[in-house]
Amino acid sequence: MESKPNIQDVANLANVSIATVSRVINNQGGVRKVTEERILKAIKELGYIRSAAARTMKLKETNTIGVIVPDIKNPFFPLVMAGIEQKAREKEYFTILSSTNESPKIEEEIVKNFIERGVDGVIITTANENGDHLKLLEEQGIPVVAVDRSIKKLEVDTVLVDNKKGAYQAVQQLILQGHEKISIICGPLNTTPGLERYLGYQQALADYKIDLDDRYVIQGDFGEQSGYQCTEKLFGLDEKPTAIFSSNNMMTIGCMKALEDLNWRLGSEVSFIGFDDVDIATFLNPKLSVVARPMNSIGEIAFLLLHERIGLKGNLPKREYSLAPELKIRQSCRLVNQTF
Amino acid sequence: MESKPNIQDVANLANVSIATVSRVINNQGGVRKVTEERILKAIKELGYIRSAAARTMKLKETNTIGVIVPDIKNPFFPLVMAGIEQKAREKEYFTILSSTNESPKIEEEIVKNFIERGVDGVIITTANENGDHLKLLEEQGIPVVAVDRSIKKLEVDTVLVDNKKGAYQAVQQLILQGHEKISIICGPLNTTPGLERYLGYQQALADYKIDLDDRYVIQGDFGEQSGYQCTEKLFGLDEKPTAIFSSNNMMTIGCMKALEDLNWRLGSEVSFIGFDDVDIATFLNPKLSVVARPMNSIGEIAFLLLHERIGLKGNLPKREYSLAPELKIRQSCRLVNQTF
DNA sequence: TTGAAAGCGCTAACAA
DNA sequence: TTGTTAGCGCTTTCAA
C-alpha cells in the first residue's frame, strides 16, 4: 500500500458513498447485508484503519485518558497503572502514560501535550502539589483525579491511602514493643504523603507521651539514595535510635543497603518498619514489617472516579477516597528488651 | 472558559487572520512584532492550546512514538521505558505506553489503536513473536523496533541482549564450580529470550561434556508463580539438582520464595544464578549471582534506531543490536565440594 | 507583513 | 437503504 487509504478509497472500491462506509465502521446498522460485506471486504483489502485525528475533530472525544506519574521506576506506579488500565480497558478507554521524573516543568509540558491530544481525563500523581500548572486542565474542563498526592489549588477527586493512620500504626507498634528512640526518615514535607506520614509519627509519639527528638526526624526525598544517606546519619548519632520508620519503598531499600554496609543489625540492633511493601521485604532476614497499600485498587478506583466525571460533564462535588493501609508485621521489629 | 477556544477565536480577539496566528504558534517568523505580541496576549487570555488532532490531519505526523510492553509490572520494562523516554524527550518526541498483559489479542488492539492515532513509530516487546498481527504496521509504513524479543515475519530493527552468551556464562560458572546436576527453569521456548537462554544452557553443558538431563530442564512461563512451581518440582526430584539457572527475574523471585518455603538452602544446598538482576539479589543471604542487562541503554538504543528510521522513511537494511550482558558473581553459587 | 481559501479524513444531519 | 454535504481546527499556498 502506497500511502494510507482513507474512507474515500474504501468507498470507491466498494462502490458506495463515504457515509455508508462510516456507518459500517461504526456499527450503526441500517446498511444492507451485501453492501456491508462489500465494504468490509474493501476495508480488508486496503488495510484501511480510520484516522483517530479526523474522528476526534468531529467528535471532540478521544476515549483516551492520560496518566501522569512522577517516577515510572518506582514499582508503586506500574502497579497502580495496571489497575487503571484494567478498568479502562473494560470501559473501552485507552490509556497513555508519561513520567515526569519529579520535574514540575516536564509535568507542565506533559499536561499541555495531553490537552493538545484531547485526552478525556487525567489521572495524576503530581510533582508539584501546589497545582498552578494544572489550572490549564480546569480551564479546558478536563476532569482530573489525583492519586497519592492531593492538589491544592484544584477541586479534584482524590484517591489516597490514609497515610497518617498507616504511619501511626507503624510507630505505635514500635512503641508498644518498648521503643522510645524511634526515628523517622521523612519524605518531602511539601507532599501529601511525606507530610501525613510525618504527622502520623508525631501523633503516635504524642499519644504515648514520648518526646519528639529532632535528631530522630531526618529528611529524605523518597529516593533510594536519600534512604541510604539518612540511615548513615542516624548511625552516626551518639545515641542511635533503636527503631526506624521509613516513609516510602525506595528509601526503605536504600536504608536496608545502608544497614548492611554499616553492619547495623536489623531486628536485633535496630527495629524497622517501612511504608509500602517491597519485593525485598520477605527475603530479608529478619523479614521486613511494612505498611502495605492496595496499589491495584488505587488504580481501579482512580479510573472509576474519573470515568464518572467524564460521563457527567456536570458538577459532582469533589470527592476524596481514602483507602486503609495494612500493617504487615513480620520480623523486623522486636521488643526493645530483646535488643540487648 | 466555556468550550475550548480555537485558532479562530484567537484571531478574532487579536484582530488578525488565522493564518497569522498559525505563523505565531509555529514560530515561523514573518510577523510584525506588535502583531505577534497582540496574538500572544490573546492566546494567553483565552487559554488557547492548539488541537493535535487538527494538526495531525494536516501534517500527517504526530511526533509521538508508541511503546508496547507485555507486562508493565515486570520492573525490566519500566527501566527500559525510562531509557526510551529520556532520549525521546531530547528529540522532542512524545511517548505513549501500553501494556498487553502478554495477550496477543490485546496487543493487536493496541497496535490498531496506535495506528489510528498516527504514531510515527513503535517500539515493541511483542507477546507473539510470530508477528502476523504486526503486518498492519508494515503496511502503513510505520517503523518498528523490536526489543528483547524479535519478530519473525517482519523485517525490523531489533535490540537484544546476547541471551545465549549470558546464559552460557552463567551455566559455565556453575560448571566450573564443579556442578553437574544443573537445572534450568526455562521461559517459553517460543520467545527469543526463552529459547536463546535455553540454548546457552545447552551449549555450555555440551562444551563441558555434561549430558543434558531432561529432568533438569523445566518449563516456566516467565511469571513469578511458575518460578515457584518449577522450583517445587525440582525439589521433588529423587536426585535434586545442585544448581539452578533461572531464565528471568520474575521466575527468580518465585524460585527464591520456594527455596525458602521448602527450606532448600540457597548457596549451601543449591547454587543459583538468575537471568536479570533483581532488587532482592543483594539482600538475600547469600547474595544472588545474576546475569545483568543494561536496561536503560536498551531503551535508549531502541529509540535512537527508531528515530533514524522515522527521519529517513527510506530503506535502511534491517539492523540488529546485541548488547552484552554482564555476569555478576555474588555468593549464591558455591564450589560443589563445599556443598556437603 | 498579512489574509483568503483549500483541504486533511471523518461524522451526522438531511435529502432522496 | 444510501448519498450529499457541511463542518471540525489546523497549515500552507497564493495573492495582495
Side-chain angles (χ1 to χ4, degrees), chain B residues 115-174:
Chain B
I115 296 175
E116 284 190 8
R117 300 183 125 68
V119 295
D120 298 337
V122 170
I123 294 176
I124 184 170
T125 301
T126 182
N128 175 3
E129 296 196 25
N130 175 21
D132 277 326
H133 60 307
L134 301 178
K135 283 283 181 195
L136 272 177
L137 289 166
E138 191 175 47
E139 282 169 17
Q140 309 274 329
I142 298 173
V144 175
V145 172
V147 165
D148 192 40
R149 305 183 189 170
S150 53
I151 301 170
K152 291 201 181 58
K153 303 209 178 157
L154 233 48
E155 286 278 308
V156 297
D157 292 341
T158 308
V159 184
L160 298 168
V161 154
D162 192 334
N163 289 298
K164 191 172 169 187
K165 185 170 163 195
Y168 185 96
Q169 289 177 332
V171 176
Q172 183 184 40
Q173 170 71 20
L174 294 167

Side-chain angles (χ1 to χ4, degrees), chain A residues 65 67 69 72 78 81 85 89 94-99 114, chain B residues 64-72 77-78 80-82 84-85 94-100 110 114 119 123:
Chain A
I65 62 157
V67 179
V69 301
I72 195 179
M81 182 68 187
E85 272 208 315
R89 201 180 309 283
F94 206 78
T95 311
I96 67 186
L97 171 67
S98 280
S99 173
F114 276 9
Chain B
T64 301
I65 62 156
V67 179
I68 302 176
V69 301
D71 178 13
I72 196 180
F77 294 108
V80 172
M81 183 69 186
I84 294 173
E85 271 208 317
F94 205 79
T95 310
I96 66 185
L97 170 67
S98 282
S99 173
T100 62
I110 292 174
F114 277 7
V119 295
I123 294 176

Side-chain angles (χ1 to χ4, degrees), chain A residues 38-165:
Chain A
R38 200 150 26 97
I39 292 173
L40 256 16
K41 186 155 156 284
I43 288 175
K44 184 151 284 178
E45 201 168 321
L46 293 170
Y48 167 74
I49 294 187
R50 75 147 118 63
S51 150
R55 186 155 210 270
T56 297
M57 253 178 94
K58 278 303 280 189
L59 302 187
K60 269 107 173 69
E61 62 169 47
T62 55
N63 259 258
T64 301
I65 62 157
V67 179
I68 301 177
V69 301
D71 178 13
I72 195 179
K73 288 182 278 187
N74 180 334
F76 175 78
F77 295 108
L79 257 20
V80 172
M81 182 68 187
I84 295 173
E85 272 208 315
Q86 193 178 312
K87 283 294 168 203
R89 201 180 309 283
E90 280 173 23
K91 305 276 188 198
E92 309 220 289
Y93 269 76
F94 206 78
T95 311
I96 67 186
L97 171 67
S98 280
S99 173
T100 63
N101 246 335
E102 294 284 6
S103 154
K105 189 159 159 294
I106 293 180
E107 182 168 310
E108 196 167 347
E109 279 171 29
I110 292 174
V111 166
K112 195 159 161 228
N113 193 288
F114 276 9
I115 296 175
E116 285 191 7
R117 300 184 124 69
V119 295
D120 298 336
V122 170
I123 295 176
I124 185 172
T125 301
T126 182
N128 174 4
E129 297 196 23
N130 175 20
D132 278 325
H133 61 305
L134 300 179
K135 284 283 180 195
L136 273 178
L137 289 166
E138 191 175 46
E139 283 170 17
Q140 309 275 328
I142 299 174
V144 173
V145 172
V147 165
D148 192 41
R149 305 182 189 172
S150 53
I151 301 170
K152 292 201 181 59
K153 303 208 179 158
L154 232 49
E155 286 278 307
V156 297
D157 292 342
T158 308
V159 184
L160 298 168
V161 155
D162 192 334
N163 289 297
K164 191 172 171 186
K165 184 169 164 198

Side-chain angles (χ1 to χ4, degrees), chain B residues 248-313:
Chain B
N248 89 332
N249 53 356
M250 304 303 266
M251 294 198 301
T252 293
I253 290 175
C255 183
M256 289 304 116
K257 289 192 175 162
L259 287 188
E260 179 163 345
D261 290 353
L262 297 166
N263 208 9
W264 195 3
R265 309 243 315 277
L266 180 63
S268 54
E269 290 179 351
V270 59
S271 286
F272 184 94
I273 301 186
F275 206 104
D276 270 333
D277 210 347
V278 284
D279 267 347
I280 63 169
T282 57
F283 291 107
L284 284 160
N285 188 359
K287 292 182 180 166
L288 227 51
S289 300
V290 299
V291 178
R293 292 190 283 174
M295 275 77 97
N296 205 73
S297 305
I298 291 174
E300 290 184 6
I301 291 169
F303 178 78
L304 262 17
L305 291 178
L306 187 65
H307 187 247
E308 277 179 40
R309 292 233 177 244
I310 293 173
L312 262 76
K313 285 288 177 206

